[in-house]
Amino acid sequence: MAARASSKTSESSDKVSVICRALRRAIIEQALEPGAKLPEDALGERFGVSRTIARHALGQLAAEGLVELRRNRIAVVATPSWQEARDAFDIRIELERLVVRQLAGKLTKAQIAELNAHVDAEDRARGGTDAVSIRLATEFHILLAHMTNSPILVRYISEVAYRCCLTLSLYSRPHSSECAINEHRAIIAALAKGDAAKVMELMHHHLDSVANRALVAPTPQRGRDLLDILAPYADEVTSDRVVKLSKIARRG
Amino acid sequence: MAARASSKTSESSDKVSVICRALRRAIIEQALEPGAKLPEDALGERFGVSRTIARHALGQLAAEGLVELRRNRIAVVATPSWQEARDAFDIRIELERLVVRQLAGKLTKAQIAELNAHVDAEDRARGGTDAVSIRLATEFHILLAHMTNSPILVRYISEVAYRCCLTLSLYSRPHSSECAINEHRAIIAALAKGDAAKVMELMHHHLDSVANRALVAPTPQRGRDLLDILAPYADEVTSDRVVKLSKIARRG
DNA sequence: GGCGCTCCAAATGCATGCAGTTTGATGTCC
DNA sequence: GGACATCAAACTGCATGCATTTGGAGCGCC
């Protein structure tokens, strides 16, 4: 399956696609945090296009689950629930097991070199920001998916991986990417060796550990609550009284 | 996992969404065959909306893989390659195994009754057209996915199942739905019994046999007038601007 | 201070208009 | 007859304009 006619599925150079890519990257790098407003006007102005185009782009991103769109409301960056995050990881595990099953023992030397080069890049980026590390780690998985030459698989893996990125920014503590990198190397080695069962197990464990490390279950109602989020800002309140819950709770 | 807060992911009542649903159904029922042209003008006229809306709907369907969109070209119903068909089935098998794994032993009596009722409906529809049989069979799987209460899973299963529908119309000969119905009943029984391994095996075999039965020689397609084809689907669109069939010039 | 009300700037939902590209039908030449 | 140049109709890409809806500032009342 590793030698298959390559099919062009990637986005063309529409203005819509360009904006989609830009927004997608901004979201997964957490430049745009979950809940951030995305007014059509502002996007259009920022990217030098009309509202029509910005609107269309938002529609696409909503289809990917990165943006939430409610009628007559300003679009916002999606804020997946903890349960949705788990669901996304569950799906991702199955799909990525499929990927490595298809690839085991079928990679060319050039492809293995490409994978190693990517992990090297991840290594070099360890000193940088978490956002970049996470993005590179995610792109490693997408690179793997590409090697199956299955456009559908690429699309689903990309989408679900981006969603996982999004949830990491919500529910994860500072990212320790070191072991992830080692696990990536182990996966490449097992792929090269052609041990399908082994590499499926490795991938499963890899994603499962990322998920478990990341998705520290918030206590159902209090974790990552608005009050916690606003705690650092409480200092700015001149009054010594606690800010009323009712005033905050209706933030859309 | 079977008892989880239900989350509203389904499409709202935008005009865009309405048109998406209509077109999606027309495609999976093979009223619109793969390769059929979908000019924005004609769609807008047929559904009583502007080109802007029709265009947006086409964009969504393209994101789902049901429509192919090339710059400056008329949109067409997607014509998946044989390989893409296999890929779609591979992915579907993994995802649906995940579904039944989550559901095994966790269904309520009401849910089991609902599933049985659906299969009864499939049974009754055996006398009807293949298109309806295939749609009902597909909807059985989507119904299962819904019971996981995982919106992401529902979306992916729906999408990939629709794509499979599409490929069935391309590569499959008249559908013998009898065994599929029996297999659906067996799956329900195993789910109720709570035997996860068994039901995963059943689902795997079920989808695999459908896929293998499907992969035969492609069938040539006959051109029909788009507006005629869409007539029954336009009725569901509530707009006084829907143009009467007789008043519309023919198009190719 | 808290709660409800009115009203308006801002944002969305959608249609329409114009410019540029593709299509394919026609005419011309070999 | 068939290959090729030509051109108008058809279609898409995109911006803009108007109607409708939202959300929140301001204000009076408890």
Side-chain angles (χ1 to χ4, degrees):
Chain A
M1 291 296 160
R4 189 188 291 169
S6 78
S7 161
K8 206 185 69 176
T9 300
S10 59
E11 288 170 327
S12 38
S13 57
D14 282 47
K15 296 193 177 185
V16 172
S17 308
V18 172
I19 296 179
C20 272
R21 270 194 293 271
L23 284 180
R24 206 178 288 125
R25 184 158 165 188
I27 292 173
I28 70 173
E29 287 196 355
Q30 306 176 45
L32 289 170
E33 296 178 356
K37 291 181 181 177
L38 302 168
E40 299 173 358
D41 292 327
L43 292 179
E45 207 177 351
R46 184 73 186 77
F47 291 106
V49 298
S50 77
R51 266 197 329 117
T52 306
I53 304 305
R55 178 185 184 71
H56 202 95
L58 287 174
Q60 297 296 309
L61 293 174
E64 296 174 18
L66 291 182
V67 159
E68 278 167 13
L69 226 45
R70 275 159 41 192
R71 188 180 172 86
N72 283 322
R73 300 266 161 75
I74 301 180
V76 296
V77 176
T79 309
S81 68
W82 188 84
Q83 184 59 57
E84 284 170 339
R86 272 253 52 119
D87 291 339
F89 266 107
D90 283 345
I91 293 172
R92 184 173 175 183
I93 286 172
E94 299 303 324
L95 292 182
E96 299 229 25
R97 279 167 56 97
L98 179 58
V99 166
V100 293
R101 197 178 77 201
Q102 287 190 4
L103 292 182
K106 303 240 175 65
L107 291 177
T108 66
K109 280 192 162 51
Q111 288 177 314
I112 291 173
E114 193 179 356
L115 290 171
N116 277 318
H118 187 98
V119 180
D120 290 343
E122 288 185 64
D123 223 338
R124 281 192 300 277
R126 271 197 326 206
T129 67
D130 277 0
V132 172
S133 292
I134 293 182
R135 179 169 62 80
L136 283 174
T138 301
E139 285 173 356
F140 171 79
H141 291 262
I142 294 176
L143 182 57
L144 271 181
H146 267 287
M147 291 180 177
T148 65
N149 271 320
S150 163
I152 312 181
L153 202 41
V154 170
R155 201 172 77 72
Y156 284 146
I157 298 254
S158 303
E159 241 183 74
V160 81
Y162 288 148
R163 289 173 92 124
C164 288
C165 259
L166 190 60
T167 63
L168 287 185
S169 74
L170 268 178
Y171 300 108
S172 151
R173 288 300 83 212
H175 186 66
S176 142
S177 50
E178 203 159 325
C179 44
I181 291 178
N182 287 340
E183 287 169 8
H184 283 183
R185 291 204 190 279
I187 286 170
I188 296 175
L191 278 175
K193 206 171 138 203
D195 189 342
K198 171 85 171 299
V199 71
M200 286 172 72
E201 177 52 34
L202 279 174
M203 179 62 86
H204 192 130
H205 176 266
H206 170 51
L207 290 174
D208 208 48
S209 72
V210 170
N212 287 329
R213 204 182 321 141
L215 302 180
V216 283
T219 52
Q221 295 192 330
R222 288 272 326 217
R224 198 63 185 171
D225 201 355
L226 277 172
L227 293 176
D228 294 330
I229 294 171
L230 291 181
Y233 300 92
D235 300 330
E236 300 174 4
V237 180
T238 54
S239 161
D240 48 8
R241 293 202 52 178
V242 179
V243 179
K244 292 295 180 295
L245 182 62
S246 61
K247 193 86 173 179
I248 312 171
R250 53 201 208 78
R251 193 195 70 151
Chain B
M1 293 294 162
R4 188 189 292 168
S6 77
S7 162
K8 202 184 66 178
T9 301
S10 60
E11 290 172 324
S12 39
S13 58
D14 285 32
K15 295 192 178 185
V16 172
S17 308
V18 172
I19 296 179
C20 272
R21 271 194 292 271
L23 283 179
R24 206 180 288 125
R25 186 162 161 187
I27 291 173
I28 71 172
E29 288 195 354
Q30 305 175 42
L32 288 169
E33 297 175 358
K37 292 181 180 176
L38 303 169
E40 298 172 356
D41 293 330
L43 291 179
E45 221 176 342
R46 165 47 87 195
F47 290 110
V49 299
S50 77
R51 254 187 350 107
T52 306
I53 305 306
R55 178 184 184 73
H56 203 98
L58 287 174
Q60 297 296 309
L61 293 174
E64 296 174 19
L66 291 183
V67 160
E68 278 166 13
L69 227 44
R70 274 162 33 192
R71 188 178 173 87
N72 283 321
R73 299 267 160 74
I74 301 180
V76 296
V77 176
T79 308
S81 69
W82 187 89
Q83 185 58 57
E84 283 169 340
R86 271 253 53 120
D87 291 339
F89 267 107
D90 283 345
I91 293 171
R92 183 172 175 184
I93 286 172
E94 298 304 324
L95 292 181
E96 299 229 26
R97 279 166 57 95
L98 178 59
V99 166
V100 292
R101 196 178 78 201
Q102 287 191 3
L103 292 182
K106 303 237 176 67
L107 291 177
T108 66
K109 279 194 164 49
Q111 288 176 315
I112 292 173
E114 193 179 356
L115 289 171
N116 277 317
H118 187 97
V119 180
D120 290 343
E122 289 185 63
D123 222 338
R124 281 192 301 276
R126 271 199 324 207
T129 66
D130 277 359
V132 172
S133 292
I134 293 182
R135 179 168 62 78
L136 283 174
T138 301
E139 284 173 357
F140 171 79
H141 292 262
I142 294 176
L143 182 58
L144 270 181
H146 266 287
M147 291 179 178
T148 64
N149 270 321
S150 163
I152 311 180
L153 202 42
V154 170
R155 201 172 77 71
Y156 284 146
I157 297 255
S158 303
E159 241 182 75
V160 81
Y162 289 149
R163 288 174 92 124
C164 288
C165 260
L166 191 58
T167 64
L168 287 184
S169 75
L170 267 178
Y171 301 109
S172 149
R173 276 298 69 207
H175 186 65
S176 142
S177 49
E178 203 159 326
C179 44
I181 292 178
N182 287 340
E183 288 169 7
H184 284 182
R185 291 204 191 279
I187 287 170
I188 297 175
L191 279 174
K193 206 170 137 203
D195 188 343
K198 171 84 172 298
V199 72
M200 284 171 73
E201 176 52 34
L202 280 174
M203 179 61 86
H204 193 129
H205 175 267
H206 170 51
L207 291 174
D208 209 47
S209 71
V210 170
N212 288 329
R213 210 181 315 141
L215 300 177
V216 288
T219 66
Q221 55 205 359
R222 244 179 54 80
R224 266 173 73 197
D225 189 293
L226 171 67
L227 298 170
D228 291 337
I229 293 170
L230 287 181
Y233 299 94
D235 292 340
E236 299 173 2
V237 181
T238 58
S239 165
D240 48 284
R241 296 189 63 249
V242 173
V243 178
K244 292 294 174 289
L245 190 61
S246 57
K247 292 185 180 173
I248 304 175
R250 309 201 114 229
R251 295 163 208 263

